[in-house]
Amino acid sequence: MKAYRLTEFGKPLEVSNGPTPSPHGTEVLLKVSAAGICHSDIHIWEGGYNIGHGKTYNVGERGGVALPVTMGHETAGVALQAGPEAGPVALGRQYLVFPWIGCGECAVCLAGDEHYCGKPRSLGIYRDGGYAEYMLVPHSRYLLDLDGLDPVTTAPYACSGLTAYSALKKAGDVIRNERIVIIGAGGVGLMGLTLLRALDGIGAVVVDVSEEKRQAALAAGAMAAVDGRASDAVKQIARAIGSRPRFVVDFVGSEDTAALAFDAVAKGGKMVIVGLFGGAAPWSLPMIPLKAVTIQGSYVGNLAELRELMELVRRQRVTPIPITRAPLDHADQMLGSLREGKVVGRVVLTP
Ligand SMILES: [Zn+2]
Ligand SMILES: [Zn+2]
C-alpha cells in the first residue's frame, strides 16, 4: 500500500509501498477515505516546539516520537477487516477514527482521558496514521460510525473539531449568556465559530492578524473581527463585546496572542490556550491574582467528547468549514502550503 511517511524531521515526506497490514487481535483495518492535514502535523514534521527562553521541545528525544511514522490523525475510512477480538464493527461501513489513544490500562485511561495518558499511542503521531491508503486502528471502540455523514467534511472533527469543542466546553455557561473572544481564524478557529453556534452560543468576536482570515471569520458568522496587531485591539474587543470578555480562547498560542488574551479578559475571567505556536508566558505574575484570571490549557479532547461532538454535528446539521480536497500524492506539497499559511480552512487528502 502507498503511504507518505515522515522519515526524518524537517525533510519531505517519503512515499513507501509496503505491504498492506493485516489486523491482529483487537485491530481493525480501514481503507482511508479522508485524511485531514492538521497544523500540529507541521510541529511534528519540524520535530519540535518553541517553548520560549530560546529553547525547543524535541518531539523525537523528549516527546518519544519514533521515525519513520505515517502522520495523519484526522482520518475517516471504510472498515475492511477486523481481528478476532476487535469487538463489534460493521465491515464496509464508513467510520471516523478517534486518534488520541493511550495505554488503555492506567488510571487516566480507565477514567476515559486517554489523551492525557503518559504512554500515548496516538495515531498519526506515535502509530501510523491516515496519510496512506490503509490504516490499522487498535480497537473498534475508537471507531465512530459516520452513518451517512460525508467522510471528507467529517474527518477534521477528529482533531480540529474535537479541539475546538473541548476548548469551548471549558467556558461552561458563559457561551450561552455572553459574547466570547476567539483568537485565530485558521481551521480550528473557524470550527470553533461553527460549533459555538451549534452549542447555542451568543456569538464571538474573532481576532486575527490576517485580513483574509478575518474575512473568512466574518463569513463564518463572527460578530466582529479585530486585527490583533492594532494598538487599540483590547479596546476594539471590549467595544465589540459591550464589556470585557469573560472567556477568551487562544487558538494561536503565541506570546503576542497570549498577552492580548490576558490584557483583554475581564477580572475573574478565563483564558484557554489551545494553539501551539510557541514562546514563553508573557504575563506579569501579580496581575494573575489581581485580575483573578484562570489560565487553562486545552489539548484535543477525549473519546466521550468526540461522541458528543458527532451527535451535535448530526443533530444541528453543523455547516462544514471550507475544505480543499487533494489527492494523497499531494501530501507533502499540501503540508508545505499549510506551513506557509496559504490554506484557508482545511486540506483533506482523499486517497
Ligand atoms: Zn491535529
Ligand atoms: Zn494510559
Side-chain angles (χ1 to χ4, degrees):
M1 70 162 191
K2 195 189 271 186
Y4 278 82
R5 312 196 79 200
L6 181 62
T7 53
E8 200 178 332
F9 294 115
K11 294 280 162 63
L13 303 180
E14 280 184 22
V15 65
S16 80
N17 275 298
T20 304
S22 306
H24 298 286
T26 61
E27 293 173 337
V28 180
L29 179 71
L30 295 190
K31 180 168 191 336
V32 175
S33 311
I37 300 184
C38 177
H39 217 96
S40 56
D41 287 334
I42 293 172
H43 292 289
I44 300 161
W45 177 85
E46 287 174 340
Y49 295 92
N50 164 16
I51 50 171
H53 309 293
K55 291 182 186 154
T56 301
Y57 176 93
N58 188 306
V59 166
E61 281 158 36
R62 211 166 137 191
V65 172
L67 303 186
V69 72
T70 305
M71 295 196 297
H73 52 259
E74 293 184 343
T75 317
V78 177
L80 280 192
Q81 230 185 316
E85 291 126 48
V89 56
L91 301 182
R93 281 188 81 90
Q94 289 274 5
Y95 288 96
L96 177 66
V97 180
F98 174 79
W100 310 110
I101 296 174
C103 72
E105 292 165 359
C106 71
V108 175
C109 283
L110 293 176
D113 285 324
E114 293 197 41
H115 60 319
Y116 297 155
C117 178
K119 290 181 188 161
R121 297 187 296 162
S122 316
L123 306 178
I125 299 175
Y126 296 96
R127 298 278 181 104
D128 287 337
Y131 293 6
E133 290 174 301
Y134 301 91
M135 170 181 178
L136 275 182
V137 177
H139 196 283
S140 66
R141 70 170 176 271
Y142 304 118
L143 297 176
L144 288 83
D145 195 333
L146 284 187
D147 199 13
L149 290 173
D150 171 29
V152 174
T153 52
T154 309
Y157 288 119
C159 179
S160 60
L162 179 60
T163 298
Y165 178 74
S166 186
L168 288 175
K169 271 189 77 177
K170 292 176 172 71
D173 284 338
V174 168
I175 57 168
R176 274 176 287 279
N177 302 319
E178 298 168 34
R179 296 176 180 187
I180 64 163
V181 175
I182 290 177
I183 300 180
V188 186
L190 293 181
M191 188 77 88
L193 268 177
T194 314
L195 295 179
L196 182 65
R197 206 167 33 236
L199 287 164
D200 299 324
I202 301 261
V205 172
V206 171
V207 177
D208 202 293
V209 294
S210 147
E211 167 67 19
E212 191 190 9
K213 289 186 177 159
R214 288 199 297 276
Q215 290 306 323
L218 289 168
M223 304 184 105
V226 172
D227 181 353
R229 290 209 179 115
S231 57
D232 64 342
V234 169
K235 270 193 193 146
Q236 286 188 46
I237 290 168
R239 211 178 303 137
I241 299 264
S243 64
R244 278 180 181 267
R246 286 212 296 150
F247 185 76
V248 180
V249 54
D250 181 1
F251 288 123
V252 179
S254 70
E255 294 185 6
D256 287 347
T257 57
L260 180 62
F262 189 85
D263 290 344
V265 75
K267 279 188 179 180
K270 183 191 271 193
M271 58 181 279
V272 168
I273 303 174
V274 178
L276 297 166
F277 186 92
W283 322 291
S284 121
L285 292 178
M287 289 310 291
I288 298 175
L290 286 171
K291 282 187 81 163
V293 170
T294 301
I295 301 168
Q296 186 172 7
S298 192
Y299 175 71
V300 297
N302 66 22
L303 181 57
E305 285 174 321
L306 186 58
R307 291 193 191 285
E308 284 170 29
L309 171 61
M310 294 317 296
E311 177 58 35
L312 184 75
V313 166
R314 203 178 300 280
R315 200 175 61 235
Q316 301 280 25
R317 295 197 176 83
V318 172
T319 331
I321 58 164
I323 298 250
T324 306
R325 290 165 196 246
L328 177 61
D329 286 332
H330 290 184
D332 189 65
Q333 182 189 330
M334 286 299 166
L335 193 65
S337 301
L338 185 63
R339 203 162 59 234
E340 286 156 24
K342 288 181 187 159
V343 173
V344 174
R346 206 44 147 202
V347 175
V348 175
L349 301 172
T350 51

